[in-house]
């Protein structure tokens, strides 16, 4: 299977007919998630439907972070463990029920990210800037933000992630 077509194998079908959520008038908004003991923010306009974890069909010779293929509303989606893809290891005590966050259907990529926990919706007013995006980091890594309690949140640009070479190369 060609590496760039691995996640684009099947025709894209909208998972959710609803329009993607728009940023609040006060600024940007995110879906907050936790994976491997770390906190991440997905731009709300780039995230798709959220699913409970479903049975997966593993693929032989896939990268360890590619968990397999799931049937989500009748369409096959490749499932990527976000923490493993980023090279993070969570303490066993952090493991909680998992969820799948699909990419916005407009990306035409049938894929979902497995995260440990959803942490709600957040707006720009909920954070202060800790650090701008690192120029040496992959394009999908955005700003690091601090919430009111001082916890660090890393922004992940899903639109850039679906074009990232390593993300598209699921075969090891």
């Amino acid at each position: 299977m060609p590496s760039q077509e691995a996640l684009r194998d099947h025709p894209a079908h909208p998972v959710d007919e609803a329009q993607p959520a728009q940023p609040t008038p006060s600024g940007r908004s995110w879906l907050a998630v936790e994976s491997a003991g770390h906190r991440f923010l997905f731009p709300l306009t780039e995230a798709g439907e959220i699913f409970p974890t479903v049975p997966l069909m593993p693929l032989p010779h896939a990268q360890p972070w590619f968990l397999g293929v799931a049937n989500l509303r009748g369409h096959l989606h490749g499932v990527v463990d976000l923490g493993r893809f980023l090279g993070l290891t969570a303490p066993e005590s952090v493991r909680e029920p998992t969820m799948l966050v699909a990419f916005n259907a407009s990306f035409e990529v049938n894929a979902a990210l497995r995260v440990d926990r959803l942490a709600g919706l957040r707006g720009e007013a909920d954070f202060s800037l800790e650090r701008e995006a690192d120029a040496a980091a992959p394009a999908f890594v955005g700003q690091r933000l601090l919430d009111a309690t001082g916890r660090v949140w890393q922004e992940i640009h899903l639109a850039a992630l679906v074009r990232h070479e390593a993300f598209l190369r699921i075969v090891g």
Side-chain angles (χ1 to χ4, degrees), residues 110-121:
N110 288 353
L113 297 173
R114 190 200 68 77
V115 298
D116 296 332
R117 188 175 89 77
L118 298 176
L121 300 176

Side-chain angles (χ1 to χ4, degrees), residues 43-116:
L44 203 48
T45 57
E46 297 178 7
E49 193 168 354
I50 298 167
F51 298 91
T53 300
V54 298
L56 300 173
M57 177 62 111
L59 293 179
H61 312 294
Q63 298 283 357
W65 46 262
F66 188 83
L67 301 177
V69 178
N71 181 345
L72 303 176
R73 291 199 191 266
H75 302 285
L76 297 178
H77 284 67
V79 177
V80 172
D81 183 303
L82 178 63
R84 282 187 190 168
F85 176 77
L86 296 174
L88 304 172
T89 307
E92 287 303 313
S93 62
V94 174
R95 287 286 181 201
E96 297 185 27
T98 61
M99 301 294 288
L100 302 177
V101 179
F103 288 84
N104 187 298
S106 67
F107 298 153
E108 297 184 349
V109 173
N110 288 353
L113 297 173
R114 190 200 68 77
V115 298
D116 296 332

Side-chain angles (χ1 to χ4, degrees), residues 31-47:
L31 172 64
V33 302
E34 294 180 15
S35 185
H38 292 78
R39 294 170 201 83
F40 298 98
L41 299 169
F42 300 154
L44 203 48
T45 57
E46 297 178 7

Side-chain angles (χ1 to χ4, degrees), residues 120-156:
L121 300 176
R122 304 291 164 87
E124 202 166 26
D126 297 322
F127 298 101
S128 61
L129 179 66
E130 187 212 34
R131 183 174 65 205
E132 289 289 340
D134 183 354
F140 64 83
V141 176
Q143 300 175 335
R144 284 175 48 119
L145 302 165
L146 292 174
D147 65 16
T149 63
R151 294 181 301 176
V152 175
W153 293 82
Q154 178 65 60
E155 184 179 34
I156 300 290

